[in-house]
Amino acid sequence: MSYTCPFCFTLVDLKNTWFQCSIPSCSQPDELRTRFEQDLQPQQQIPSNVKIIQYHTTFQGNNQHGGVCPKCHRNTTIRVCPSCHSEFPPNIENLSNVIFAVVGARSTGKSHYIAVLINQLKRLYNKFNWSLCALGDETIDLYRRKFYEPLYMQHIRLKQTQGAAADADVKKPLIYSLELYRDNNTKSVVLAFFDSAGEDLTSVQNISKVNRYIAHASGIILLLDPLQISSIRQKVKSNDMPVAEIAHCQNHIIEFLVNFIKSRRRNTESIPLAITFSKIDLLNGLFAEEYGRFETPVQHHKHVINLNEIEGNSDFIKNWLDNEGAECIQAGRRFDSRFFGVSALGKDPKKDNNGNLIIPGGPQPMHVEDPFLWLLYKNDLIQGK
Amino acid sequence: MSSNIIQTGVMQWKYTSCEFNIEGRSGFSTFSMSDGLTAEDKDDLIKFAGGYNTPDGLPPQPVTEAELDLFPIIFSSFQLCSGKRVICRTRYVGKDYAGQRFGNLFSHALILPERTAWNFYPIQLWDNTRYSLLWADGLTEEEQHLGHMPEPLPLVDITKEQLRYFNSDCLDLLDNEERFEWFKSLLASVRDAKSNKGIILREIPDEIAKWIAAVQLTLPIFASQEISFSTYCRSANTAQQFNIAGTCLDGHSFHFGSPNLAMQFFQFDIVAGTVDIHDNANCRFAKLLLRYEHPSEELQRRYEFAKKYNIVINPFDNSLDSLLLLYDFFVQPSSPLDNAEWSTMWKTYQTLPRQTQQQILTDAAGENDFFILRGDTVSINRWGSKPQERLKVAVPFFERLIYNSPIKSAFTSWVLQQFNDNRKSREFCSMFANLQHKAEYTAIWLQNNNTQDKELFNLFFKIICSLPQESQGQLIKIFDNFIIRQFLSPLSVTEQLQKSHSTDIDNQKKISIYEVEKLFCADEKWKQFGKQLLKFSVKQLKPETLMFHFYLLLAIQDEELIEEHFKYIRRVICGLERTQIKVFYESVLPTAISRADSPQKHARLINLFPDSEQQIDFNEFASYYISIITQETRNWINGEDAKPQATAFLQYVFSQKLIFNRWISINDVHNGQVIPFQSQFVSLFWIPRNKEGYVECSATRIGESNKSRQDKSNQCKAYRNKIANVLKKTDANAEMKRVFYSRIGLIILNRTWWKNPYIVIVISVILTVVVISIVLTLVFLRKSKPETNTQEPPKQTAPDSQQESVAPDAKQENPHAPSTQPKPADTPKPLPKQENPHAQSTQPKPADTSNTTVPNEQKPVTTSEQEQPKNTNH
């Protein structure tokens, strides 16, 4: 039995379990942990200017369920990853890991999307008969502080995400356990959401250093900003119009991603890729004029996603983009891909008295769950019809 | 202007979210940097200084300068992987270049080329104000709208004007006892923080800079750069990169006091006043800040001191503190050391190579310094209009360098002069090389002050020069070994004596009477010189020179001098310190007595015993006379005429009413050769059981014997016979007897038999046997009594048991019943009327537990009441 560490993606044999002493005063200088936090390769030496951090005593246990700390001789049941010493969720024997990567260029709305998606998944508990629980205090704190409070309480936009090298919070995944209640049994999966700064996705080297999770992802949500496509940009008016990035930036990211995943995995065609256009609410006017679609959410039935509608939406967006001459859609051919249109905020932000943008009433998301549900379907976690 | 430049060729790096930058893509990236920085340096810089996590609770969308100033700046100093040193200032700037998204920061770093160090303390570049000349607050308008890739940043120079001096700030900060205690702990933690655990400081942002400055100022500049710091970190993830990390008052994610935080950090929550007090908090290190206006310069001087003497210092362990102590002691005597500090300093000093030790010492004493010995301490004084005391140290410290008396200095100066002039012995030259200039000075001083000394040494010089050259060296060696050393380190010998109890003395260092005799009685010239020396030194007789003087006096054997000088010696003994008294009575005087070959000499020496006026407890030294006493006693017993000295001696000893018991116990401790004599002595005084009585008695007998010859001889004969009889027995198996007496005899005599476990056990066994036998006989007797008496109680108990079977708690009451049953058996005759009611009343009591509160007076009434129903039952 094995388990992939959601932090360092090492495949851990659960028979060979490592434990961490539960007493905080029982600690030791931890080179492995330092290496992990410094993103160092195993063969790399720890640089002289890096302090080896003091961390909980870790040791190999005698059995799967518990061990006695060799230092303080106390029992512990906290299981950790042998290669990065990160704490595992308590019932990993019954869990399978599903890592979802949300990637995209700068200011395509990755953070907003993740923030709204997690909240939306919690709301869908009844429709899909599941429950979503944060694993660990860090996830709760991180989500509350970085995503929920600004967006849902203060109704302001999220701050720019800093590079993973500079901000250790960015490296940490948001880890949730999703329990799916079926007729006969209950299935649990660990969902790891990685938010990332667009700046970290600008070279294969960078991706492989700080965004290794992409290679281990069970599904990728590639966020694209339609406002970066010049033909669309001209037709849309927004208070939050992003700066026209250097034209090929968005396309480059797709190429980097493809190259990176191809270098790590043999069969890219099996990886589900949800090519998702964000800020779709801004295009609603365009759609209404030309196609009259997208105003109503996809009607999913209980426990089952509506594949017809998802496929229909995907074809619609693909065709529409084809007409607009967007190059980015060609990336989809390398993967098992569908096209989605979402809007995390659901409306254009407004300016307050100071000229700052605010979201009156908070986010009113459109279709944000669709790419995620499709990825779940592709991972055989829910059914489609 | 150029003279004010303190550092040139400093590289720059600027990082923010911007549109145009050297990466060629918008967003967070290095805006530009100086040539000389590599891509690895850039990544490293981003890791340390490319992030800003805002504290919670501050405006989420700050726009105005006032709002932005609420966000603490991050001022940090660290080292890159390549070894380049960096000082960086990071500011939260709110919106990014696009003007809509918040979360932007601006970092401006100054980087030194490899293998160079800052010429100032990194914290001195601290500046949290806007529009600083050195630090950029953000990109300029022009830089934001460049339209092309920016040029590399120029190298900058740092001038003294740009530095901030924290000296007065630190004084203000630490001008509080509590804070100063914290600071000491902080310093101690900084040393540990060089390992794995960091330090987290919670304080007002400006104050954090002061704390860090205070820490840095206690280190030399080069060492201060080894401590990385950051004035603001929001969470442990970032803080653990630095040795010292500050955090703001609120809105951070540190849970102060939590065990998880304690695992990674020493916590200094200054605002709340909860600080991890370090066990090994060191004060000398910290005192520097308070004592000097420019602590860094003071520190630099100390480092130069270390460099001069090749003392290896690690600023992050105790060696720095030791250095400060050494420096303060030798160079800066105005700051006195306390006892603990002195011992630390002394240990450090001892670890230095011998040459370095001498060098430091020689340098420490200036041209105008002279030494004065007072008691156990030597002080180095500076000559001037009013002599000033500069150093004060314990004697062993100046083993070879004491010039307290003119004799010593003159001897030394003469030796030096001779051997440095003639270069006869290189060994000696090197040995005394360091002494030379002080010796010369002392000689000059002597010349000016004391002409008598000069004459004396001229004489000495003449004597030595008249000897053949070969023996000169020999003579000097003797002088070195037995006189100079003796003079120079009198108390070190004292210490050795105390340790070895005069049995195992290093002859190299101890001056002995034999050597003195050998030297001064060898020749008439020497005798003459000795006399002069005595005349001269008696006026300056001091505890340190007493021993030599005493030996010399005995060696010269000039009756007049002895008569005269003994007075002085007696006087000096009175003024001696305890340890010196001990040495004198334990070693010096016994040796002298044992060497005396005429009764007169003995008598004279005995005169030196302390009298009652001197308030000296002679018992303490008594054990050292046992060998002499017994030897004398043996001679006396063996049939020779009673020696007057022995008589006088014993008379004295007895008049002191010494407690011999104690002597013996002392001698038991260190056995050795003394034992045979001792056993005789023991038998002599111990066989009569009333020991004190006997001693007094014998003393009076001897005392009387002095008065009339006839009496004396008769009594002595009688006594001698008595002793001889005893000795006949004791000689054979003296050892066995000794053991016997000490085991059993002494125990009984001392009335401490009850302390002996064997005796106690035996007695207790006997007692128990007796008691048991008495009890058994009593029981036997009882059984043999007529049975009629014993039949009555069951009659009384029978109805009770019936009652009890009705009562629910019957079983619990049974244990009481048997205890009361024998009572009637013990007192069978007065059965019913008065005592029986009491005996019986104990049985129904439990049934009437509710009546336990009834007053005692009513008890008889109740019992009679209880009896009545019983009777009716019958």
Side-chain angles (χ1 to χ4, degrees), chain A residues 112-128 130-132 143 148 151-152 176 178 193 297-298 300 342-345 363-373:
Chain A
H112 285 94
Y113 179 70
I114 287 176
V116 173
L117 174 66
I118 288 170
N119 202 49
Q120 196 66 9
L121 290 181
K122 285 180 180 168
R123 285 184 185 175
L124 288 173
Y125 72 97
N126 202 19
K127 206 170 197 174
F128 287 93
W130 67 35
S131 70
L132 187 75
Y143 180 71
Y148 189 81
L151 212 52
Y152 286 92
Y176 288 87
L178 181 70
F193 295 97
V298 176
H300 302 293
V342 300
S343 172
L345 302 180
Q364 287 156 6
M366 287 170 69
H367 297 290
V368 286
E369 65 275 17
D370 288 355
F372 179 76
L373 290 173

Side-chain angles (χ1 to χ4, degrees), chain B residues 254-273:
Chain B
F254 297 99
H255 300 289
F256 279 91
S258 75
N260 269 325
L261 192 66
M263 177 178 77
Q264 287 184 308
F265 297 99
F266 296 105
Q267 303 165 61
F268 287 84
D269 188 348
I270 307 287
V271 180

Side-chain angles (χ1 to χ4, degrees), chain B residues 519-536:
Chain B
L519 192 68
F520 284 90
C521 302
D523 194 349
E524 196 52 40
K525 274 182 185 173
W526 275 101
K527 232 173 188 176
Q528 205 58 33
F529 172 66
K531 274 181 192 172
Q532 295 219 22
L533 198 61
L534 279 172
K535 273 181 191 169
F536 163 75

